[in-house]
Amino acid sequence: MRSGLPRAAAATAPAALPPHLPGLDPAWSRLVATPAVGPEHAPGGPSPATRTWHLLDNAGQLAELGVEPVGTVLCVHGNPTWSYLWRSVLTAATETARAGGPAWRVVAVDQLDMGYSERSGVPRGLAQRVADLGALTDELGLTGPVVTLGHDWGGVVSLGWAVDHPDLLAGVVVCNTAVHQPADAPIPAPLRLALRPSVLGRATVLTPGFLETTLAIAHPPLPAPVRDAYRSPYRGADRRGGIGGFVADIPVDDRHPSAVELDRIAEGVRALGVPALVLWGPRDPVFLERYLDDLATRMPHADVHRFEGAGHLLPEDVDVAGAVLAWLGDRLPEGHVPTEVGAGLPADADADADTDTDTDAGAGLRADADVSRPVWAALDELADADDVALVEMAPGGGRPPRSVSWRLLSRRVREIAAGLADAGVQRGDRVSLLVTPGADLTAVLYACVRIGAVVVVADAGLGVRGLTRAVRGARPDWLVGALPGLTAARALGWPGRRIATPSVPPAARVALGVEHTLAGLARRGAARLRAGVALPAAPAPTDTAAVLFTSGSTGPAKGVVYTHAQLAAVRDALATQYGVGVGTGLVAGFAPFALLGPALGARSVTPDMDVTAPRTLTARAVAAAAAAAAPPLREIAVVAAQTGSGAATTAISAEGTAGTEGTGRTEPSGEGVVVFLSPAALANVVATADALTAEDHAALGRVRLFLSAGAPVPEPLLAEAARLMPAASAHTPYGMTEGLLMTDIDLAGIRAAAVGPAHTPARSQLSPVSQGSERQGLRSRGRGTGAGTGGGVCVGEPAAGVAVRIAPLDDLGAATGPLGTTPEVTGEIVLAAPHGKDHYDRLWLTDLAARRQVSTDRRWHRTGDVGHLDADGRLWVEGRLPHVVATASGVVTPVGPEQRIESVPEVDRAAVVGVGPAGTQQVVAVVETTPAPRRPHLADPALAERVRATVDVPVAAVLVVPRLPTDIRHNSKIDRTRVARWAAGVLAGGRMVRP
């Protein structure tokens, strides 16, 4: 036995070349002998002259191609894998060089005692392995630039090499690894089990248990030939000594022989100033996300990407090779950090020709250079006002509506802020808010923002699974919630120290892990303020303020990061566009919009509804909220006098909206009531309008502006809502979590677009959707939805400070064309605005795909939506990029055909999807009908004929369903990806179940 391992672990064997294995090019394999170094080469003791390694190296193939490498990627596997783990990196790097891209040499080693390298028969601790790798790179004559790539314990070894070779190092990449074990946390349970003396040798050496367990946790499962390839160098106990040795070398405490070396590496990592990338699979039972947090703390400059759903064997679970090469191309395109950031999409002449226009002014620039008013400024300005700041129409427990004054709200925000700081909440700490919209959520949100904590907001409508994914991904330090949220957090293991919004009995506090209550923090903070203790210094404009999660309608919900400057810019964009400010009553059936009320100085009213189900909002509930939101004119004048603001002055000088008809732009007014509803909520408001009383109609008559966004809003629905609010201007802004307000149009503008002058789509070599008579029907008018001859939904002109460009589509529906503003060219919508997001949270690859930089003073956001600009500069949305149908005759965007199909009298809603391989896809129409059927079925011939007659594109099949699946947040966006998958299965002979 050695180190608790059986005698078989001390077996020796020479290095060898691997047999033929799937995905492994024999030309890569080579054996390299190195001098024995490190602890095993101690003076005066017996030591071998050399050690022989097996490694994979594409240098020969690059030489055959006649290309000079720009650098070397040094790949180090962990336990119990071998260099086979990196086969896709070698393939991708070689193919990139063959295609004319940057040529990266890839060297993937088998660590000694592992894979097909020599079995040394002696213990190899961490310090020995780092020294071994240094000897190998010396023998190979690597001169740099070198980028290390490590996984598992190979990540630690590769970082050790990086720390020791700063002169050669150009960058580091790690996947699911750790360099530090917190003293107050146990090592992960699987390792604790494997390290038991009764288990260690048996599980790691005598049997392939440890190896088989690792291979079994791939997501998705590994194909049998790949599993066999991983097993091939470890057949027999005498080949598995390195597996046992790696496990035995895990430093479980400070007394372990490798603890000193691990600490040296951990501290050395802090000093690495080179570009860094951390790739992570969160379903890893060993390398938990606390190790990701630690790495991010040690390398705060590192780019991070979490692959949701992936686990420990990350290079097998996802395309790590593609991720690494994309990162190298962005951060180290020629083997070194570029002096200027390159373009993601090419720019054309008109992309920069009009950068001095009003709509482009400042678009995409960082807005933090001169921010005079932080988002909490209105709370300070109105701190002495007794007027109503917010109203909860349904505070819970059957209680009547609750009102909170500006004086009380401002004081409570300061008290909670002081209490949070006293409890240990620090600047930069993440605070997850699991609280329904209302006074508590508003107070704690602004308290967090004031002290520089980062608020994490995710919709309860994401469901338990979606919320769990979001909260775990955001890794909050603190979690604030009511009993339902705290109970879920406890049961599902959500991270963060607990703060309860209500009073909690002692037993429940213990059971739920509650450390503080909101009321207790407020009392604690009040005492500190009375004692003269100042609040912490205000955060800087560039500091992160919030992580807001998307709806999850196009995949797992993504965390969108905003800085303080960008949140202030969002506030100012809304104030400028819609005249919302002091004196405005704001009724918001959408939580993110409601939370901006105090920042705008508006009276915020939360209507009586289930925020997770927008269709629960009724007309009477909106009327009651509108009545509560409408302040008397005297009150507006008082507030105006107290603040002395220009917005307050205009609030008492104008009645209703002062907009320009058809443009979507309203002049600042401040006075009156503004209502924001999702299309699903708006539809139910219209549907329940018969229950309105005379008093309700009077309340709705005080609404000067209502907005509906989140999905296309049909013109008839907007018109019906306008009749309920006759004094209001009806608007449908276009935006997303990444940018709340990008374009805007009012009802008059929609009608003008629907009957506007005809225009002939320009021919584009990159966008066959707009070419040829066969596809002209895709650009024709829909039924009352604002779809003019350009097709799709007109969402109006850019808001102030917003620039809009189109990246044309190619034959397969990819947005590859140059950014431009040429009318009638369909492509991906690309935006720039000062109030857009900063980045996605720990989703570096997603951020890379979403940003498009064509100049150094502008940051573009690739929206994933497709559409076009018309001759009047209005933007039309035609669908989502992943939903574009690539037929043999050209690409088909879905919204135009859907609108045409919905003109069939019995069709309520339609989804147009593609079935089959891209380039030869068939168009399938899936429709809801009135009356709704009990189960899905093929449309009868008469209905199918009427559907086909409405569009000038061949429709392969028409399917009828009881209900089309929609997103959770708005209940409006049709999940076309899910519908397409369902339709493909049904048409292939699958069961006719609901999609």
Side-chain angles (χ1 to χ4, degrees):
M1 297 285 290
R2 65 180 180 90
S3 302
L5 298 174
R7 181 171 294 128
T12 61
L17 296 176
H20 178 75
L21 296 171
L24 195 67
D25 190 335
W28 296 335
S29 284
R30 56 186 292 202
L31 301 180
V32 177
T34 65
V37 295
E40 76 167 345
H41 191 60
S47 63
T50 61
R51 292 297 187 193
T52 305
W53 299 64
H54 167 256
L55 55 85
L56 307 177
D57 188 352
N58 70 341
Q61 292 178 332
L62 296 181
E64 291 175 3
L65 293 172
V67 296
E68 187 70 23
V70 298
T72 300
V73 180
L74 178 62
C75 305
V76 188
H77 68 85
N79 187 35
T81 57
W82 56 288
S83 58
Y84 186 73
L85 183 75
W86 305 116
R87 65 196 184 281
S88 63
V89 180
L90 283 105
T91 299
T94 305
E95 291 306 312
T96 297
R98 182 174 285 115
W104 284 90
R105 179 186 182 185
V106 180
V107 175
V109 306
D110 282 356
Q111 297 198 59
L112 293 174
D113 295 337
M114 303 292 288
Y116 284 92
S117 285
E118 177 181 344
R119 297 304 190 263
S120 68
V122 298
R124 312 197 78 80
L126 179 57
Q128 178 67 61
R129 292 197 174 279
V130 172
D132 288 341
L133 186 59
L136 175 63
T137 57
D138 288 346
E139 186 66 27
L140 293 174
L142 295 189
T143 57
V146 176
V147 174
T148 60
L149 170 56
H151 171 255
D152 188 86
W153 284 103
V156 183
V157 175
S158 69
L159 289 172
W161 186 94
V163 169
D164 293 343
H165 295 80
D167 53 328
L168 302 180
L169 190 67
V172 295
V173 184
V174 292
C175 311
N176 288 62
T177 190
V179 295
H180 176 68
Q181 174 61 41
D184 60 348
I187 63 171
L191 294 182
R192 291 201 304 273
L193 175 63
L195 283 165
R196 289 181 179 176
S198 60
V199 175
L200 176 59
R202 186 176 300 276
T204 61
V205 179
L206 296 179
T207 72
F210 190 86
L211 171 62
E212 294 298 331
T213 298
T214 302
L215 299 180
I217 58 175
H219 306 285
L222 297 175
V226 173
R227 292 199 305 271
D228 285 341
Y230 277 110
R231 295 174 181 132
S232 64
Y234 300 119
R235 298 191 185 279
D238 57 348
R239 299 285 301 173
R240 293 193 289 266
I243 296 177
F246 251 122
V247 175
D249 193 47
I250 296 172
V252 295
D253 54 41
D254 293 342
R255 297 169 295 176
H256 191 282
S258 287
V260 172
E261 178 68 2
L262 183 63
D263 289 344
R264 183 187 75 87
I265 295 170
E267 290 307 307
V269 165
R270 295 186 188 275
L272 295 178
V274 296
L277 174 66
V278 181
L279 303 175
W280 207 263
R283 295 179 66 181
D284 191 333
V286 175
F287 291 98
L288 308 176
E289 294 206 57
R290 65 170 177 249
Y291 300 117
L292 169 59
D293 295 341
D294 177 73
L295 286 167
T297 300
R298 293 174 190 276
M299 297 185 292
H301 65 289
D303 300 310
V304 178
H305 191 93
R306 294 174 72 259
F307 292 92
E308 198 63 60
H312 178 71
L313 283 177
L314 192 66
E316 295 292 348
D317 291 356
V318 298
D319 182 17
V320 162
V324 170
L325 289 177
W327 181 79
L328 290 172
D330 187 70
R331 298 303 195 205
L332 300 163
E334 299 298 330
H336 55 80
V337 178
T339 56
E340 293 185 0
V341 180
L345 284 176
D348 65 359
D350 65 71
D352 289 320
D354 59 349
T355 54
D356 292 330
T357 63
D358 290 341
T359 57
D360 279 355
L365 296 176
R366 292 183 64 88
D368 50 28
D370 183 23
V371 178
S372 59
R373 295 184 75 245
V375 289
W376 63 85
L379 286 166
D380 291 342
E381 294 164 359
L382 297 170
D384 295 326
D386 292 318
D387 310 295
V388 175
L390 59 88
V391 182
E392 291 178 288
M393 298 303 295
R399 292 173 295 169
R402 177 172 66 157
S403 298
V404 178
S405 70
W406 285 106
R407 185 188 300 274
L408 175 58
L409 180 61
S410 178
R411 187 180 76 229
R412 188 54 52 90
V413 166
R414 289 178 57 82
E415 290 171 349
I416 294 175
L420 288 170
D422 191 47
V425 179
Q426 300 178 6
R427 181 169 170 167
D429 278 3
R430 292 191 169 193
V431 183
S432 179
L433 304 180
L434 303 176
V435 189
T436 56
D440 287 341
L441 178 58
T442 302
V444 73
L445 183 145
Y446 281 91
C448 289
V449 170
R450 172 58 186 83
I451 63 173
V454 179
V455 296
V456 178
V457 181
D459 276 359
L462 290 175
V464 172
R465 184 177 179 183
L467 264 179
T468 297
R469 193 159 42 206
V471 174
R472 286 181 177 171
R475 299 295 297 167
D477 302 284
W478 300 81
L479 191 152
V480 181
L483 288 178
L486 295 174
T487 302
R490 186 69 168 183
L492 299 170
W494 295 348
R497 298 167 64 182
R498 312 292 200 258
I499 299 172
T501 53
S503 296
V504 181
R509 289 186 67 149
V510 173
L512 298 175
V514 172
E515 296 184 33
H516 307 282
T517 65
L518 209 55
L521 288 175
R523 290 191 297 270
R524 189 168 171 173
R528 287 176 60 84
L529 293 174
R530 285 194 301 270
V533 179
L535 288 175
T542 54
D543 288 348
T544 297
V547 179
L548 310 178
F549 276 86
T550 62
S551 67
S553 60
T554 56
K558 299 181 288 290
V560 179
V561 176
Y562 278 86
T563 65
H564 284 267
Q566 289 156 345
L567 280 188
V570 171
R571 173 202 62 201
D572 296 342
L574 291 170
T576 299
Q577 190 75 20
Y578 299 123
V580 181
V582 176
T584 304
L586 180 62
V587 177
F590 183 46
F593 201 87
L595 292 173
L596 285 168
L600 291 158
R603 173 193 298 216
S604 304
V605 181
T606 306
D608 184 0
M609 66 179 293
D610 179 354
V611 293
T612 68
R615 293 179 187 270
T616 60
L617 184 62
T618 66
R620 293 213 66 193
V622 173
L633 191 61
R634 181 201 61 77
E635 182 177 304
I636 300 172
V638 169
V639 174
Q642 289 170 330
T643 61
S645 65
T649 302
T650 59
I652 60 173
S653 62
E655 181 71 24
T657 183
T660 303
E661 189 75 3
T663 66
R665 189 71 54 83
T666 60
E667 295 301 324
S669 168
E671 187 183 348
V673 176
V674 175
V675 175
F676 183 99
L677 305 175
S678 73
L682 190 66
N684 199 57
V685 167
V686 170
T688 57
D690 289 345
L692 291 171
T693 66
E695 186 179 13
D696 293 332
H697 279 291
L700 292 175
R702 297 192 65 180
V703 177
R704 70 167 175 86
L705 171 70
F706 77 85
L707 315 169
S708 187
V713 186
E715 186 272 343
L717 175 60
L718 211 59
E720 287 292 332
R723 279 190 280 274
L724 295 179
M725 295 172 267
S729 176
H731 288 247
T732 59
Y734 166 67
M736 56 220 70
T737 309
E738 295 88 342
L740 191 59
L741 172 63
M742 292 299 178
T743 72
D744 182 71
I745 191 169
D746 63 9
L747 181 57
I750 291 172
R751 288 169 172 164
V755 297
H759 46 276
T760 302
R763 285 186 171 269
S764 166
Q765 294 179 346
L766 293 170
S767 187
V769 70
S770 59
Q771 300 177 19
S773 59
E774 180 184 27
R775 293 179 292 281
Q776 287 297 310
L778 304 181
R779 300 284 190 142
S780 55
R781 288 171 56 187
R783 178 188 62 182
T785 56
T789 53
V793 174
C794 183
V795 294
E797 298 176 0
V802 177
V804 179
R805 299 288 183 267
I806 302 295
L809 305 179
D810 62 19
D811 291 350
L812 296 180
T816 56
L819 296 182
T821 57
T822 304
E824 309 310 329
V825 173
T826 290
E828 184 173 13
I829 299 167
V830 186
L831 304 169
H835 55 278
K837 68 169 175 65
D838 192 72
H839 63 277
Y840 289 111
D841 187 43
R842 292 186 171 181
L843 291 171
W844 184 83
L845 288 167
T846 307
D847 205 47
L848 177 68
R851 56 181 166 86
R852 288 297 181 261
Q853 294 174 301
V854 294
S855 61
T856 57
D857 64 345
R858 176 167 299 193
R859 182 183 179 91
W860 295 93
H861 171 64
R862 180 175 174 172
T863 66
D865 289 336
V866 290
H868 68 278
L869 292 164
D870 65 17
D872 296 320
R874 296 172 301 199
L875 178 64
W876 296 71
V877 177
E878 302 178 44
R880 291 284 298 167
L881 190 64
H883 303 157
V884 170
V885 183
T887 73
S889 301
V891 296
V892 177
T893 54
V895 172
E898 288 170 354
Q899 293 170 327
R900 297 289 303 276
I901 291 169
E902 288 168 0
S903 68
V904 176
E906 60 263 53
V907 173
D908 187 21
R909 286 196 302 179
V912 167
V913 298
V915 171
T920 59
Q921 286 185 312
Q922 301 297 308
V923 175
V924 176
V926 184
V927 301
E928 292 178 5
T929 59
T930 303
R934 294 184 59 188
R935 55 180 60 89
H937 60 84
L938 281 170
D940 62 69
L943 175 59
E945 182 178 354
R946 287 193 292 276
V947 167
R948 290 188 172 100
T950 63
V951 293
D952 294 334
V953 61
V955 177
V958 180
L959 301 171
V960 181
V961 296
R963 190 175 185 85
L964 288 164
T966 58
D967 70 295
I968 296 171
R969 176 178 289 177
H970 302 287
N971 293 160
S972 304
K973 299 177 184 176
I974 296 173
D975 188 345
R976 296 190 188 94
T977 301
R978 180 174 165 185
V979 173
R981 191 165 52 244
W982 170 83
V986 166
L987 296 175
R991 292 181 59 200
M992 188 74 79
V993 296
R994 297 191 181 209

